[in-house]
Amino acid sequence: MGSTNQKKEIWLKRKKRIRKSIISSAERPRLSVFRSSKHIYGQIIDDTTGTTIAAACSNEKEVKAQPKFDSKVAKAVFTGKLLAERAKDKGVKKVVFDRNGFLYHGRIKAFSDGAREAGLDF
């Protein structure tokens, strides 16, 4: 009766395949991005200890306090900048980018461009 969603299954395979090749360390933690239909989420993760160093998402108070964005892409750029500022406060300057199975296009690319503009190196 309950068949699995083929799109989700393909996405999970792609995510696993990408994740195998990404090597992070304490000096270069992993910047993981997740995109839903409405919001974008990003977090910087130290895989050696399994802790989240910094995180930002597009449905936080700081993002909602801004004037209305023209598009979800503009919101993704702002969220990427917000994450980069939080990471720099924690002393993280270099990261490894994990696109999490999504194409490097649209909001994912905008998020990473925003993070680069704010000073993250990847």
Side-chain angles (χ1 to χ4, degrees), residues 49-111:
T49 60
T51 57
T52 300
I53 299 168
C57 59
S58 61
N59 60 354
E60 291 181 355
K61 287 182 182 179
E62 292 181 37
V63 179
K64 289 182 179 180
Q66 298 297 316
K68 188 165 171 58
F69 292 99
D70 295 335
S71 63
K72 291 187 265 188
V73 173
K75 194 183 282 190
V77 171
F78 182 80
T79 309
K81 288 180 183 177
L82 183 65
L83 178 65
E85 290 169 9
R86 290 179 181 173
K88 286 192 330 189
D89 291 342
K90 301 278 177 129
V92 176
K93 293 180 183 168
K94 291 186 175 190
V95 294
V96 177
F97 189 69
D98 177 11
R99 60 187 174 92
N100 212 3
F102 298 104
L103 293 176
Y104 187 74
H105 178 273
R107 288 189 282 158
I108 302 294
K109 184 174 189 276
F111 186 90

Side-chain angles (χ1 to χ4, degrees), residues 24-38:
S24 68
S25 64
E27 296 83 35
R28 264 183 101 104
R30 177 170 54 102
L31 168 58
S32 179
V33 179
F34 178 77
R35 172 185 56 85
S36 71
S37 60
K38 287 186 177 182

